[in-house]
């Protein structure tokens, strides 16, 4: 496994693999790797000849006052984890290399970024699309893998690649969960033991809602209210949002008629957790 910090060296390495006829898969991450990240790498491993991973805590996607400074950065363990799943190349650039002081360009996707997390994290998605667009140029891979865990992010990146005719396929991969249902996240490390117990209320509310939709409940108002009650009953939590949206446009739905996505963001203590689930109403 090669670790590369230089932009041009990284681009050359990807192009050299492609020149040999290899299909290159890309898995962008912010590190603090867990089984969710590793599932993306395994998927890339099974579909591609060369697997490239990026580890970069992107400062431009953190709003002022968010957890940029305390975000975990266990680089040696991350490199070992990448090696363990057969990654070929890990790109670990510096902040200065990615965002020199004289940079002036931002990439922005409108509309899809207005609701859900976009309404609560000012500038977040502009930071995400800018860094991912840069990574797609630095590692001009054939296919990139993103988790459904960050469903809005996945849809925003798909839209960016499509709107800007980026020659890369963007694939979504299912959310990996703990045995009790909690979605794996690097931020789960912030949870104290009691908060960790409470946090299971998020996925439980999503699974219950999915079952209710499958058995005929189509009113999003009723579904959202029940979810809110069950999450609040589990302990002190600040609910940023619970929303039922169209899975493509992310527009809020009043009624579920077909496929929908239920998305939520909840703060437990100092930890902001997001999760989502696909639901289907077919009667
Ligand atoms: P992050 O390091 O949090 O920026 O995440 C890097 C990639 O891993 C993103 O595409 C995430 O959606 C994905 N990811 C994070 N957590 C999970 C999870 N529990 N299951 C699947 N993918 C995940």
């Amino acid at each position: 496994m090669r670790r590369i910090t230089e932009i041009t060296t990284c681009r050359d390495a990807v192009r050299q693999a492609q020149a040999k006829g290899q299909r290159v898969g890309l898995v962008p991450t912010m590190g603090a790797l867990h089984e969710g990240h590793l599932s993306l790498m395994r998927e890339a491993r099974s579909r591609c000849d060369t697997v490239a991973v990026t580890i970069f805590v992107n400062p431009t996607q953190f709003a002022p006052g968010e957890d940029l400074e305390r975000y975990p950065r266990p680089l040696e363990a991350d490199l070992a984890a990448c090696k363990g799943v057969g990654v070929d190349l890990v790109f670990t650039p510096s902040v200065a290399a990615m965002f020199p002081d004289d940079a002036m360009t931002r990439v922005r996707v409108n509309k899809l970024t207005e609701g859900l997390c976009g309404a609560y994290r000012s500038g977040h998605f502009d930071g995400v699309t800018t860094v991912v667009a840069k990574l797609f140029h630095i590692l001009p891979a054939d296919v990139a893998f993103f988790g459904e865990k960050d469903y809005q992010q996945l849809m925003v990146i798909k839209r960016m690649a499509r709107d800007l005719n980026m020659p890369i396929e963007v694939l979504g991969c299912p959310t990996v969960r703990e045995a009790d249902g909690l979605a794996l996240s690097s931020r789960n490390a912030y949870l104290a033991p009691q908060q960790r117990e409470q946090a299971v209320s998020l996925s439980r509310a999503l699974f219950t809602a999915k079952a209710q939709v499958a058995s005929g409940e189509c009113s999003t108002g009723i579904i959202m209210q029940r979810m809110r009650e069950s999450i609040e009953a589990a302990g002190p939590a600040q609910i940023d949002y619970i929303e039922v949206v169209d899975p493509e446009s992310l527009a809020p739905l009043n009624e579920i008629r077909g496929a929908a996505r239920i998305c939520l963001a909840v703060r437990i203590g100092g930890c902001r957790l997001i999760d989502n689930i696909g639901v289907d109403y077919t009667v």
Side-chain angles (χ1 to χ4, degrees):
M1 186 180 81
R2 268 180 92 183
R3 177 182 168 196
I4 301 178
T5 53
E6 291 296 311
I7 287 172
T8 48
T9 314
C10 193
R11 190 183 290 125
D12 289 347
V14 171
R15 285 191 175 147
Q16 276 162 19
Q18 286 164 328
K20 288 188 235 155
Q22 295 189 358
R23 182 171 161 83
V24 177
L26 171 65
V27 181
T29 82
M30 297 207 299
L33 302 178
H34 51 63
E35 278 299 318
H37 299 112
L38 299 185
S39 74
L40 304 185
M41 296 174 202
R42 291 193 191 99
E43 187 65 22
R45 184 71 282 163
S46 74
R47 287 171 177 258
C48 302
D49 306 298
T50 292
V51 177
V53 168
T54 68
I55 299 177
F56 179 63
V57 182
N58 170 28
T60 69
Q61 71 184 70
F62 290 77
E66 291 189 348
D67 57 341
L68 173 61
E69 280 78 27
R70 71 170 174 147
Y71 199 87
R73 292 164 169 86
L75 184 60
E76 291 309 317
D78 285 350
L79 293 172
C82 290
K83 200 169 176 187
V85 293
V87 168
D88 300 291
L89 184 166
V90 183
F91 179 54
T92 57
S94 67
V95 172
M98 289 296 280
F99 293 106
D101 289 341
D102 61 351
M104 298 178 196
T105 306
R106 280 273 168 143
V107 179
R108 161 173 239 162
V109 173
N110 291 318
K111 274 195 178 166
L112 284 180
T113 59
E114 284 167 11
L116 304 173
C117 284
Y120 291 85
R121 301 188 68 189
S122 171
H124 168 69
F125 285 112
D126 293 357
V128 169
T129 42
T130 302
V131 81
V132 172
K134 285 173 69 74
L135 292 172
F136 283 1
H137 286 99
I138 296 166
L139 300 100
D142 300 279
V143 49
F145 299 82
F146 290 86
E148 289 181 355
K149 158 75 168 48
D150 301 276
Y151 189 76
Q152 186 177 18
Q153 170 176 280
L154 169 65
M155 301 313 284
V156 166
I157 289 167
K158 279 189 174 189
R159 172 54 67 168
M160 172 188 75
R162 188 170 137 187
D163 286 354
L164 297 181
N165 307 100
M166 293 175 164
I168 190 165
E169 185 185 353
V170 176
L171 280 184
C173 301
T175 301
V176 177
R177 299 177 178 281
E178 302 276 10
D180 66 0
L182 177 69
L184 294 190
S185 165
S186 308
R187 292 190 167 96
N188 291 351
Y190 300 154
L191 295 167
Q194 203 181 341
Q195 295 170 333
R196 166 64 186 83
E197 273 181 40
Q198 186 190 335
V200 75
S201 65
L202 276 56
S203 55
R204 199 184 292 141
L206 287 167
F207 292 133
T208 304
K210 185 179 174 77
Q212 287 169 350
V213 175
S215 60
E217 181 56 73
C218 63
S219 159
T220 59
I222 291 173
I223 291 163
M224 292 187 299
Q225 184 56 28
R226 286 184 188 148
M227 290 179 69
R228 179 173 291 275
E229 284 166 10
S230 69
I231 289 170
E232 284 174 346
Q238 184 192 321
I239 297 173
D240 275 1
Y241 64 81
I242 298 171
E243 284 203 54
V244 185
V245 297
D246 179 276
E248 298 297 322
S249 70
L250 306 184
L253 298 173
N254 293 322
E255 250 192 7
I256 305 177
R257 297 274 171 221
R261 203 88 195 175
I262 308 182
C263 303
L264 54 75
V266 176
R267 293 170 201 269
I268 296 179
C271 182
R272 185 175 188 276
L273 300 171
I274 61 171
D275 200 354
N276 68 86
I277 202 163
V279 299
D280 221 327
Y281 177 87
T282 45
V283 176

